[in-house]
Amino acid sequence: MLDFVTALWLGFIGACIGSFLNVVAYRIPLGLSVVWKPSHCPKCGHNIRPRDNMPVLGWLLLRGRCRDCGAPISPRYAIVEAAMGTAFFVLAYVELFSGAANLPAALADPAGALDSVVFPNWELIILYAYHATLLSLLMAAGLIDQDSQRVPRNFLFLAGAVVCGALASESWFLYPERTRNILINQWKAPCDAAFGASWGALAWLLPLAALRRRSSDSMKRFLRNAAIASAIAGGFLGLRPIVRIFALWLVGILANRGLKAVSKSRLSPLLILWGVTLLHLACWRPLARLLSW
Ligand SMILES: [Zn+2]
């Protein structure tokens, strides 16, 4: 029961972050301030009332329409909030309460919410927050790409700062899977972050360089956005995870192409990256056993 309530509470925080990311993705490409203006209806300009601003529930209670002018509000806002909420909820069980049993090497004994949150186990909480941060950054990048905008370069600096913080811990517990046989044994985790980020970026920058002349502007923008997002994922998780995520990502992109032929709605490949990263975080241990080298 306590586990469920705590997970629900974390899921609610995730949904609120999803709500914030919706605003970030809308305002940053327009050069607007993220913080200072309250949310308002784009049609009639009325401010959204606090009770209607509740993640997911607000949209459901309004049945997707503005309370003042009745203009339809895209279900995308509620979907993003629900996706982030679900991610935080799932990650609470598979990572936070389980003693990180999802990772190739567990951090602690499975203790449930009582021992991991109420009597805080900081390593576990930091690990959870670290992966939640990664998912938030990827979701924001995905939403910006979905709107055919350029992901700001500041995302890389922000992610770089978080990764530097992660590497400041002496035991490098935020990098549970380290590449074997990297030259400098004592520097495994920093090497992993650097190689992961470079691998993630190069996987998209090389085609960008090769196709420079022939590709359309929208293709170039996508390759650039994808390079930023996968560099972030690689830096956060390390070399082997990003190679595995990349393989899953390609499968997801192909599956999405198949779906698009049927439904005709376009889903940004960066949102697929968000999904496969969540999948990889949740199933890290079995995936590491299945696809290892
Ligand atoms: Zn309105």
Side-chain angles (χ1 to χ4, degrees):
M1 186 61 194
L2 182 67
D3 281 12
F4 185 72
V5 172
T6 312
L8 216 53
W9 176 70
L10 288 166
F12 176 73
I13 291 178
C16 292
I17 290 175
S19 178
F20 174 68
L21 296 178
N22 276 321
V23 176
V24 166
Y26 176 72
R27 292 190 188 174
I28 282 189
L30 296 176
L32 299 172
S33 158
V34 173
V35 191
W36 292 116
K37 268 179 105 183
S39 325
H40 57 269
C41 168
K43 186 112 184 271
C44 67
H46 276 107
N47 285 352
I48 312 275
R49 292 167 184 74
R51 71 189 152 122
D52 294 338
N53 219 353
M54 282 270 289
V56 189
L57 287 178
W59 188 86
L60 288 176
L61 289 174
L62 291 173
R63 303 217 177 92
R65 292 188 170 277
C66 169
R67 191 181 284 281
D68 296 297
C69 68
I73 303 167
S74 164
R76 170 177 137 169
Y77 297 103
I79 294 170
V80 170
E81 290 158 0
M84 289 300 294
T86 310
F88 278 47
F89 182 85
V90 168
L91 222 50
Y93 273 99
V94 300
E95 188 161 274
L96 189 57
F97 304 158
S98 74
N102 59 326
L103 300 187
L107 275 182
D109 294 328
L114 190 65
D115 273 354
S116 0
V117 181
V118 182
F119 304 111
N121 178 335
W122 286 111
E123 278 202 354
L124 274 177
I125 293 174
I126 290 170
L127 182 79
Y128 177 79
Y130 183 63
H131 291 152
T133 306
L134 171 61
L135 289 174
S136 305
L137 278 169
L138 291 181
M139 178 59 90
L143 292 173
I144 290 172
D145 187 69
Q146 178 79 40
D147 293 336
S148 310
Q149 300 284 351
R150 288 162 71 95
V151 174
R153 215 173 293 153
N154 291 354
F155 273 48
L156 278 178
F157 300 129
L158 190 61
V162 176
V163 166
C164 287
L167 291 170
S169 144
E170 215 170 312
S171 63
W172 291 323
F173 64 96
L174 293 167
Y175 290 84
E177 188 182 5
R178 290 176 212 155
T179 312
R180 273 173 240 147
N181 307 323
I182 284 185
L183 289 174
I184 317 158
N185 243 0
Q186 297 91 313
W187 289 90
K188 272 182 179 173
C191 283
D192 241 316
F195 289 155
S198 327
W199 203 95
L202 286 178
W204 297 103
L205 288 180
L206 292 180
L208 179 64
L211 297 172
R212 186 114 244 176
R213 296 248 173 85
R214 271 171 297 161
S215 59
S216 62
D217 281 349
S218 66
M219 182 48 105
K220 279 183 203 157
R221 189 191 52 231
F222 161 67
L223 289 170
R224 183 187 159 279
N225 286 350
I228 290 180
S230 62
I232 291 174
F236 264 73
L237 300 176
L239 183 58
R240 280 202 281 186
I242 191 63
V243 174
R244 236 180 267 126
I245 286 175
F246 191 77
L248 292 170
W249 191 9
L250 291 182
V251 174
I253 289 176
L254 287 177
N256 183 46
R257 290 208 134 197
L259 280 180
K260 201 168 86 178
V262 183
S263 74
K264 288 199 173 164
S265 58
R266 173 187 173 272
L267 183 67
S268 159
L270 270 68
L271 291 172
I272 298 172
L273 173 64
W274 180 89
V276 295
T277 303
L278 175 62
L279 178 74
H280 188 280
L281 286 173
C283 310
W284 196 333
R285 184 176 298 190
L287 281 170
R289 275 204 202 125
L290 197 67
L291 297 165
S292 208
W293 53 86

